[in-house]
Amino acid sequence: MPQTAEAEPEPEPEPDPKAATEAEAEDAPGELVGPLERGLAVLRAMATGSDVRHRPGDLARATGLARSTIDRIATTLVRLGVLRAEGRDLLLAPGAAELGNAYLASSGLPELLGPHVVALADALDESVSLAVPDRDGVRFLTRATRRRATASSFRPGGLLPAERCAPGALFAAQWDTADLERWRARRAKDPQDTGFPSVPPRPAAPPDEVEAEFLERVREAGESGMAVDDQTIEPGLLAVALPVRGPGGAVVCAVAIVGHTSRHSAASLVDTALPPLRRTVAAMEAALAAAPVAAAPADGVPAPVAVLKKELGSGFLQSLARGLDVLRAFGSVRGPVRLSELARLTGLPRATARRSLITLRHLGYVREESGGFVVLPRVLELGHARLSGLSLPEIATPHLVDLVLRVQESASVAVLDGDDIRYVARVAGTRIMHIDITVGTRLPAYATSMGRVLLGDLSPEERASRLGRITPSALTPYTVTTHEGLEKAVSATAARGYGWVEQELEEGLRSLAVAVTDGEGRAVAAVNVALHAGRTTPEESLASLLPVLRGAAGRISADVAAVGRFSRVPTG
């Protein structure tokens, strides 16, 4: 709902200097939104720390913020789906992935160039990555990996030191004096790269030798237009990279092929990979040149911030929520966005959106460009690398726990695996008598509610083919055992939007299921509630369970869509 008036300003405690980053230590503009600045500091602390779980007291020490401030920030971010609470612990929630998604969507790079990355990886049977410069580091945006014991495992959003990867030498060839001095300052402060969790610590080496070796590779990259990495990431890994230029001729990203010394030397990797890599870069540059400008949606979809503020009172930081709305709005448009457009997309007053932009620019997440604003890859530091590695069971399990607490029955998530379903997540009910099934269990899809949901989501051709090869057998006296009966049951499931199986798999067992969908509305899994049929009537079970089950499925689906928008979500 668009907001037309500013709320009363929230009291803002004086910022503690311990919370300042390099950008924040500079002279701050007078119009900074304090809650937004501090909220992002908390997200950074959670995303870049070695621990997945964080206690509020630990966050207070890490950021230098007052414990009461941490509590208000946590309350707000949990309510927005950016964090979740488990007892006294705080964890990043999949909703935080939308912040990084805003950059990935606005840049257009994964969408336009990702298919070329996959095609090149398939052609060479080697891992291929797409990377962008981020200050004196390199952010990986998308990756097509090969399933090998010696494969690398960088996640989308991960940050590497420029001097320890092939794309870094290409980007550093474009540095000016200020860029080089910033790199030297970072090296002096962190010579072993402990601030880069994506790489192992660098062995001790004289700083002059490290700089000389890197600058020589930068010189070679500038002269040859390509960069080779011979085990600077870690022993055994090799890479060759080429720059990708936009329509104006500027380097916008780099594509790298990563091999291993068990299969290549640096020279043999270059000989093998460079010709197809050059062809891929040419195709990528053509795709960038031909890309249409993405139009902004006609209407913004702002979060119901005003409603949440009224619901939670002073514990909810409205200006933090509004600032995150502005950040997410960049994902609606490719390229620079004007202030007026951001205000329209978020439903915020222009002055409110402007203050959020001033804060985001000061923190290094946004830059003014071409009469508008662009979001920068630094946004990916707000948890994207950690969240992009989540599997379907990790995403679904917290929601299953909540579901079981509400309905007091067992709940599970399963995927279609051949003609069976395979359980990938499960939380047992709290009753003395509950359904005992473990993760990994396979059951025939035709006789299960989750199986019928997943079969019903298949295309008509695939559904007919799948059902045609299934020969249903009687597992109980109630099991559907004819092809015609099974086709009718699956069609009915698809039409009504939920699966219902009454004692067909096992006598006394009732199951209700709905689909878990991805960002394009396709069923990637199903979630169910299972219970003993004698506990209530079918009508009572359906009335009490279906709304709650659909709510849980919707929340799992939203998280899957956020995490999987630009990277595949493993089913586990």
Side-chain angles (χ1 to χ4, degrees):
M1 178 181 298
Q3 297 142 3
T4 58
E6 290 278 357
E8 288 295 318
E10 297 151 358
E12 299 177 3
E14 289 298 317
D16 190 304
K18 288 172 61 180
T21 63
E22 178 182 342
E24 294 160 352
E26 301 171 356
D27 292 336
E31 296 182 275
L32 286 185
V33 180
L36 176 58
E37 182 181 23
R38 290 186 283 276
L40 293 174
V42 169
L43 281 178
R44 280 197 304 275
M46 295 187 65
T48 57
S50 58
D51 296 326
V52 174
R53 295 173 175 272
H54 302 264
R55 293 286 176 89
D58 296 333
L59 290 171
R61 287 186 289 274
T63 60
L65 297 172
R67 172 60 188 269
S68 60
T69 302
I70 295 291
D71 289 342
R72 294 182 70 201
I73 289 170
T75 296
T76 302
L77 295 179
V78 167
R79 192 63 180 84
L80 294 173
V82 176
L83 301 183
R84 63 184 175 89
E86 289 189 0
R88 296 171 59 194
D89 293 337
L90 294 170
L91 299 88
L92 288 169
E98 291 290 9
L99 304 176
N101 287 345
Y103 164 74
L104 296 173
S106 179
S107 72
L109 296 177
E111 178 184 356
L112 294 170
L113 307 187
H116 298 284
V117 169
V118 172
L120 182 59
D122 290 342
L124 292 174
D125 196 28
E126 298 286 359
S127 295
V128 180
S129 299
L130 196 69
V132 294
D134 186 357
R135 295 156 294 171
D136 61 331
V138 173
R139 292 271 179 197
F140 283 86
L141 303 190
T142 187
R143 183 168 180 78
T145 59
R146 304 295 93 182
R147 289 186 174 273
R148 292 194 178 102
T150 56
S152 56
S153 58
F154 304 128
R155 292 177 176 177
L159 181 69
L160 269 65
E163 67 273 19
R164 292 186 65 177
C165 59
L170 294 172
F171 300 145
Q174 314 295 317
W175 284 358
D176 58 20
T177 302
D179 295 325
L180 184 58
E181 290 306 312
R182 182 171 58 245
W183 174 78
R184 285 176 172 144
R186 188 263 296 166
R187 286 277 309 135
K189 184 178 179 181
D190 184 17
Q192 291 188 289
D193 302 328
T194 57
F196 296 86
S198 297
V199 294
R202 176 190 284 276
D208 291 346
E209 289 185 12
V210 174
E211 178 168 334
E213 187 273 336
F214 177 53
L215 294 183
E216 176 60 19
R217 289 198 294 118
V218 171
R219 183 193 63 78
E220 293 173 355
E223 292 179 354
S224 67
M226 74 169 187
V228 178
D229 171 24
D230 191 349
Q231 306 182 73
T232 61
I233 297 177
E234 63 177 79
L237 287 185
L238 308 167
V240 57
L242 289 180
V244 179
R245 299 180 183 275
V251 174
V252 295
C253 62
V255 58
I257 298 171
V258 181
H260 196 270
T261 52
S262 62
R263 301 185 298 279
H264 287 289
S265 66
S268 72
L269 180 63
V270 171
D271 290 342
T272 301
L274 196 55
L277 179 57
R278 291 193 189 281
R279 292 192 293 270
T280 296
V281 167
M284 288 179 167
E285 292 178 345
L288 291 174
V293 176
D299 296 304
V301 189
V305 172
V307 175
L308 293 175
K309 179 68 175 178
K310 183 176 181 181
E311 174 187 330
L312 298 175
S314 62
F316 184 79
L317 296 171
Q318 184 169 242
S319 54
L320 169 56
R322 288 174 163 180
L324 296 183
D325 276 352
V326 171
L327 189 51
R328 283 189 290 259
F330 280 95
S332 301
V333 185
R334 190 177 300 153
V337 193
R338 295 184 180 277
L339 170 59
S340 58
E341 190 74 353
L342 287 167
R344 184 183 67 81
L345 287 169
T346 57
L348 294 172
R350 183 185 175 98
T352 302
R354 177 176 171 274
R355 288 192 66 208
S356 294
L357 283 171
I358 289 171
T359 305
L360 294 170
R361 181 179 61 186
H362 174 67
L363 298 176
Y365 296 122
V366 165
R367 179 179 67 221
E368 283 192 75
E369 183 179 297
S370 303
F373 295 85
V374 294
V375 64
L376 300 176
R378 189 179 185 183
V379 168
L380 295 168
E381 76 178 0
L382 300 174
H384 200 85
R386 182 163 287 169
L387 294 168
S388 66
L390 290 179
S391 65
L392 177 60
E394 290 171 316
I395 293 171
T397 297
H399 299 289
L400 291 183
V401 170
D402 292 341
L403 176 60
V404 169
L405 288 175
R406 292 190 65 182
V407 302
Q408 304 294 304
E409 305 287 0
S410 299
S412 307
V413 170
V415 296
L416 198 60
D417 192 349
D419 295 337
D420 296 333
I421 60 165
R422 175 169 49 87
Y423 283 72
V424 297
R426 179 165 175 79
V427 175
T430 57
R431 298 180 187 272
I432 295 176
M433 184 178 294
H434 60 266
I435 312 303
D436 190 16
I437 295 175
T438 60
V439 170
T441 297
R442 297 170 68 97
L443 295 173
Y446 72 85
T448 63
S449 63
M450 290 189 285
R452 289 182 183 174
V453 165
L454 295 170
L455 291 169
D457 188 71
L458 299 175
S459 67
E461 297 77 15
E462 189 175 358
R463 185 197 302 179
S465 174
R466 187 74 62 97
L467 294 180
R469 69 171 183 252
I470 292 175
T471 302
S473 58
L475 304 176
T476 75
Y478 305 95
T479 308
V480 173
T481 57
T482 66
H483 285 289
E484 295 77 9
L486 180 57
E487 289 175 358
K488 183 178 179 181
V490 171
S491 296
T493 297
R496 69 190 175 212
Y498 63 87
W500 178 276
V501 167
E502 182 77 10
Q503 305 188 69
E504 292 190 50
L505 180 69
E506 181 179 322
E507 288 192 70
L509 177 62
R510 173 181 298 158
S511 178
L512 175 67
V514 297
V516 172
T517 58
D518 62 13
E520 297 182 1
R522 296 171 300 201
V524 295
V527 57
N528 86 326
V529 171
L531 65 155
H532 286 276
R535 196 162 289 155
T536 63
T537 67
E539 294 77 14
E540 289 171 335
S541 292
L542 188 63
S544 64
L545 296 177
L546 185 57
V548 183
L549 181 61
R550 280 179 165 159
R555 289 185 288 275
I556 298 172
S557 298
D559 286 352
V560 168
V563 172
R565 184 174 178 185
F566 293 104
S567 58
R568 187 183 68 86
V569 175
T571 58

